[in-house]
Amino acid sequence: MTAPFTYTANPSRVIFGSGTLARVGEEIERLGLDRVMILTTPYQAEEGQRLAAQLGDRAAGVFGEAAMHTPVDVTERALAEFERSGAAGIVSLGGGSTIGLGKAIALRNDAPQLAVPTTYAGSEMTPIVGQTENERKTTQRTPKVLPETVVYDVDLTLHLPREMTVTSGINAIAHAVEAIYAEGANPVLGLMAEEGIGALMSAIGRLGEEGMGADPEARSDALYGAWLCAVCLGQGGVALHHKLCHVLGGTFDLPHAQTHTVILPHALAYNAPAVPDAMEQLKRATGSASPAAAFYDLAADAGVPTSLRELGMPEDGIDQAVEIALENPYYNPRPLEPEPMRDLLAAAWAGERPA
């Protein structure tokens, strides 16, 4: 018997393929926008300038200061530049930091957004915005921040560096893992989660130790899997894993994707006893009897960080992180208790492989 559930689809237009960056101009026109401001990180500012040249008069300028965890002071500078430029909308070209900045601007002025993801982070498919101020990261959920159009271009991911490929891929996988047992779990998201996790794990494995851009089919499958995982995050919900990552990122300024990579195996191991049905789905998706260990091994085999210590978190910050995480109650299938949570973070700090 299928249990009762509620399913709400988020309204967004998705264009997926290779060479689809060329369609950004027609999508801007479709949205009825005369001029748009392009957002990037400093690292991708040159790509933003090339897109501006492609758009011609439709480009109102490039703001290249997007930063991890969406600092409020950066958003305020971007908002001032948006108003000065006379832009009517936003094109966010980049990963989670850039798309997060676009969402933070839209939260304040309702500007239409077109997102062009270049990693597997998934922020483009969610009505969730996170912001950091005074070393605290807060999130809110509102349809105001959901991009109207998302253009996935596989070509933009062909040369994504190995560490970013693996860590942003595992970051995406984490969205689907929690959607399976989050408060808003339902059969539709369960199917998407299994498919997305399986596609990403297979693609990352096929990309192998060398030639990360040499397999366009694997890159296409990875981006497809990331899209499905992002839909899971946008339409489902989150639990302990995402809460801890927000606390660690906002408090200790840890890199976003790498933090998700480290925490996922341990958060899943914490919740596993409380979600037997979800674990069966994850066993099918990963092809492993121990999904938590499979996620750890995926990172370890790729040579990316598997411990909070490697990311620069001080060991004496563990108790502080637990305290902050417990300040505001939130849904999790297993009760949140200080000592088990401290054990979870201690294992993640040391980089221990879950049993």
Side-chain angles (χ1 to χ4, degrees), residues 62-94:
V62 177
F63 182 86
E65 299 180 33
M68 282 193 311
H69 310 303
T70 320
V72 169
D73 62 319
V74 174
T75 300
E76 290 172 346
R77 290 199 300 274
L79 188 61
E81 179 62 21
F82 181 90
E83 294 171 349
R84 186 203 64 77
S85 72
I90 297 163
V91 174
S92 300
L93 174 67

Side-chain angles (χ1 to χ4, degrees), residues 9 38-39 79 98 111 113 131 172 175 203-204 227 253 263 265 282 286 290 294 297:
I38 299 168
L39 305 178
L79 188 61
T98 302
Q113 303 170 76
Q131 302 179 90
H175 305 331
I204 292 172
W227 168 63
D253 197 30
I263 291 295
L282 291 172
T286 61
S290 177
D297 292 342

